[in-house]
mmCIF file of all heavy atoms in Angstrom:
data_model
loop_
_atom_site.group_PDB
_atom_site.id
_atom_site.type_symbol
_atom_site.label_atom_id
_atom_site.label_comp_id
_atom_site.label_asym_id
_atom_site.label_seq_id
_atom_site.Cartn_x
_atom_site.Cartn_y
_atom_site.Cartn_z
ATOM 1 N N THR A 1219 89.519 -23.450 1.140
ATOM 2 C CA THR A 1219 90.217 -22.170 1.230
ATOM 3 C C THR A 1219 90.383 -21.546 -0.152
ATOM 4 O O THR A 1219 90.208 -20.339 -0.319
ATOM 5 C CB THR A 1219 91.590 -22.345 1.911
ATOM 6 O OG1 THR A 1219 91.395 -23.015 3.163
ATOM 7 C CG2 THR A 1219 92.262 -21.017 2.150
ATOM 8 N N HIS A 1220 90.707 -22.357 -1.154
ATOM 9 C CA HIS A 1220 90.809 -21.832 -2.513
ATOM 10 C C HIS A 1220 89.445 -21.348 -3.004
ATOM 11 O O HIS A 1220 89.335 -20.282 -3.607
ATOM 12 C CB HIS A 1220 91.374 -22.874 -3.482
ATOM 13 C CG HIS A 1220 91.522 -22.341 -4.873
ATOM 14 N ND1 HIS A 1220 90.621 -22.637 -5.870
ATOM 15 C CD2 HIS A 1220 92.429 -21.502 -5.423
ATOM 16 C CE1 HIS A 1220 90.975 -22.006 -6.974
ATOM 17 N NE2 HIS A 1220 92.070 -21.318 -6.723
ATOM 18 N N ASP A 1221 88.407 -22.120 -2.741
ATOM 19 C CA ASP A 1221 87.054 -21.724 -3.135
ATOM 20 C C ASP A 1221 86.668 -20.385 -2.507
ATOM 21 O O ASP A 1221 86.091 -19.520 -3.162
ATOM 22 C CB ASP A 1221 86.032 -22.792 -2.731
ATOM 23 C CG ASP A 1221 86.245 -24.106 -3.451
ATOM 24 O OD1 ASP A 1221 86.940 -24.135 -4.486
ATOM 25 O OD2 ASP A 1221 85.723 -25.130 -2.956
ATOM 26 N N LYS A 1222 87.011 -20.215 -1.240
ATOM 27 C CA LYS A 1222 86.732 -18.957 -0.551
ATOM 28 C C LYS A 1222 87.495 -17.806 -1.214
ATOM 29 O O LYS A 1222 86.954 -16.719 -1.389
ATOM 30 C CB LYS A 1222 87.102 -19.054 0.930
ATOM 31 C CG LYS A 1222 86.822 -17.774 1.698
ATOM 32 C CD LYS A 1222 87.219 -17.890 3.154
ATOM 33 C CE LYS A 1222 86.961 -16.567 3.864
ATOM 34 N NZ LYS A 1222 87.429 -16.586 5.246
ATOM 35 N N GLY A 1223 88.744 -18.041 -1.582
ATOM 36 C CA GLY A 1223 89.535 -17.009 -2.257
ATOM 37 C C GLY A 1223 88.885 -16.536 -3.544
ATOM 38 O O GLY A 1223 88.872 -15.340 -3.844
ATOM 39 N N VAL A 1224 88.311 -17.450 -4.308
ATOM 40 C CA VAL A 1224 87.624 -17.076 -5.550
ATOM 41 C C VAL A 1224 86.381 -16.241 -5.237
ATOM 42 O O VAL A 1224 86.091 -15.260 -5.927
ATOM 43 C CB VAL A 1224 87.274 -18.326 -6.395
ATOM 44 C CG1 VAL A 1224 86.405 -17.957 -7.583
ATOM 45 C CG2 VAL A 1224 88.554 -19.020 -6.865
ATOM 46 N N GLN A 1225 85.669 -16.586 -4.179
ATOM 47 C CA GLN A 1225 84.500 -15.802 -3.783
ATOM 48 C C GLN A 1225 84.900 -14.397 -3.329
ATOM 49 O O GLN A 1225 84.184 -13.421 -3.567
ATOM 50 C CB GLN A 1225 83.716 -16.521 -2.679
ATOM 51 C CG GLN A 1225 83.060 -17.806 -3.136
ATOM 52 C CD GLN A 1225 82.111 -17.587 -4.305
ATOM 53 O OE1 GLN A 1225 81.289 -16.676 -4.310
ATOM 54 N NE2 GLN A 1225 82.261 -18.411 -5.331
ATOM 55 N N ILE A 1226 86.048 -14.273 -2.691
ATOM 56 C CA ILE A 1226 86.550 -12.962 -2.265
ATOM 57 C C ILE A 1226 86.856 -12.101 -3.488
ATOM 58 O O ILE A 1226 86.591 -10.895 -3.486
ATOM 59 C CB ILE A 1226 87.766 -13.118 -1.329
ATOM 60 C CG1 ILE A 1226 87.281 -13.647 0.027
ATOM 61 C CG2 ILE A 1226 88.537 -11.818 -1.178
ATOM 62 C CD1 ILE A 1226 88.383 -14.065 0.973
ATOM 63 N N ILE A 1227 87.386 -12.704 -4.539
ATOM 64 C CA ILE A 1227 87.632 -11.965 -5.781
ATOM 65 C C ILE A 1227 86.313 -11.404 -6.314
ATOM 66 O O ILE A 1227 86.249 -10.248 -6.742
ATOM 67 C CB ILE A 1227 88.314 -12.863 -6.827
ATOM 68 C CG1 ILE A 1227 89.729 -13.226 -6.378
ATOM 69 C CG2 ILE A 1227 88.339 -12.182 -8.199
ATOM 70 C CD1 ILE A 1227 90.386 -14.308 -7.209
ATOM 71 N N THR A 1228 85.257 -12.192 -6.277
ATOM 72 C CA THR A 1228 83.933 -11.732 -6.712
ATOM 73 C C THR A 1228 83.505 -10.534 -5.865
ATOM 74 O O THR A 1228 82.969 -9.552 -6.383
ATOM 75 C CB THR A 1228 82.901 -12.870 -6.614
ATOM 76 O OG1 THR A 1228 83.341 -13.969 -7.425
ATOM 77 C CG2 THR A 1228 81.535 -12.422 -7.073
ATOM 78 N N GLY A 1229 83.752 -10.601 -4.566
ATOM 79 C CA GLY A 1229 83.437 -9.482 -3.677
ATOM 80 C C GLY A 1229 84.216 -8.234 -4.038
ATOM 81 O O GLY A 1229 83.666 -7.121 -4.038
#
Side-chain angles (χ1 to χ4, degrees):
T1219 307
H1220 182 258
D1221 296 342
K1222 180 181 178 185
V1224 172
Q1225 293 303 313
I1226 288 170
I1227 293 169
T1228 302

